[in-house]
Amino acid sequence: MSQEQVYSDAGFGQPVPRGTRPAIVVVDFSYGFTDTQYPTASDASAQMAKTRRICDIARDKGFPVIFSTIAFHLGELDTLPWLRKAAGMRALVEGSRLVEIDAATGIQPNDPIVVKKGASSFFGSTLAALLTGAKTDTLVVCGATTSGCVRATVVDAVQSGFNVLVPRDCCADRAAAPHEANLYDMNQKYADVTDAADIAAWLDSLA
């Protein structure tokens, strides 16, 4: 039996309904994850360009565009368990360039930035409140990394009551295998994995 048949027989991979009040969440396209002079980063230039296009359309339509970044206080570096496992992220310190959103995303002054200490953009942040306040029904999740903070955000988004779309060409990772595996799994269980062109066309179709 094929892998696709196994998942289909289990009832996974059903299509996600799309509402009329979307929001874009751009996960951790900060310099620490996009500027390859830093060891925590990967080349996300192509993904940021496609993300910028859909963010521009969303703003023009009056829909929220929200960014997230990881930023640690110096006093947290020796006590947070995540930083024992992922020690390279100790460099993501408040006030440093690494935690600033990459200008290549086209971020605008009115775009909210939620600061987080963990993988999910929802955990310990104001993201859920911002989306609820905007009456969001469908969330488009872009960013880095696909297998880490993007996936965690997607899982929390669907558990928080949002329909979720993930444009694969707007997500970056350090290696192809975890990128592809996590896109496959998200598409089966939590979100519709699509692409930037599809998201742009859908946004353009909304009043």
Side-chain angles (χ1 to χ4, degrees):
M1 185 181 295
S2 70
Q3 176 176 287
E4 286 71 21
Q5 191 65 51
V6 169
Y7 277 85
S8 177
D9 288 351
F12 292 116
Q14 302 303 306
V16 170
R18 300 185 183 192
T20 59
R21 299 188 63 88
I24 314 295
V25 172
V26 183
V27 180
D28 299 354
F29 269 162
S30 59
Y31 289 111
F33 290 99
T34 62
D35 187 336
T36 55
Q37 71 172 295
Y38 305 119
T40 47
S42 60
D43 182 6
S45 54
Q47 293 87 345
M48 285 191 291
K50 291 181 180 294
T51 298
R52 181 171 187 159
R53 180 183 175 224
I54 64 174
C55 288
D56 287 346
I57 297 171
R59 281 192 212 92
D60 287 345
K61 293 280 188 174
F63 299 126
V65 175
I66 303 169
F67 289 78
S68 74
T69 188
I70 303 172
F72 298 109
H73 185 276
L74 287 173
E76 296 172 324
L77 299 183
D78 293 329
T79 55
L80 289 176
W82 193 26
L83 296 180
R84 299 180 190 128
K85 184 68 177 179
M89 294 196 302
R90 290 171 61 94
L92 302 173
V93 174
E94 293 174 359
S96 70
R97 181 176 182 271
L98 286 83
V99 308
E100 295 176 11
I101 303 300
D102 194 318
T105 61
I107 187 171
Q108 296 297 302
N110 288 336
D111 294 339
I113 302 173
V114 297
V115 178
K116 61 194 182 75
K117 312 290 183 176
S120 171
S121 297
F122 284 89
F123 188 80
S125 83
T126 58
L127 180 56
L130 289 170
L131 296 172
T132 301
K135 297 181 172 58
T136 298
D137 56 24
T138 309
L139 200 59
V140 178
V141 181
C142 310
T145 60
T146 313
S147 58
C149 296
V150 170
R151 180 194 173 93
T153 299
V154 166
V155 172
D156 274 1
V158 75
Q159 292 177 148
S160 298
F162 300 102
N163 299 312
V164 187
L165 307 173
V166 179
R168 63 167 49 247
D169 48 354
C170 295
C171 298
D173 211 319
R174 299 180 187 93
H179 171 76
E180 292 297 337
N182 281 274
L183 287 172
Y184 183 89
D185 197 58
M186 285 188 285
N187 192 52
Q188 293 298 331
K189 299 174 183 174
Y190 310 113
D192 274 0
V193 174
T194 178
D195 59 30
D198 173 54
I199 297 295
W202 171 59
L203 292 172
D204 275 329
S205 75
L206 297 174

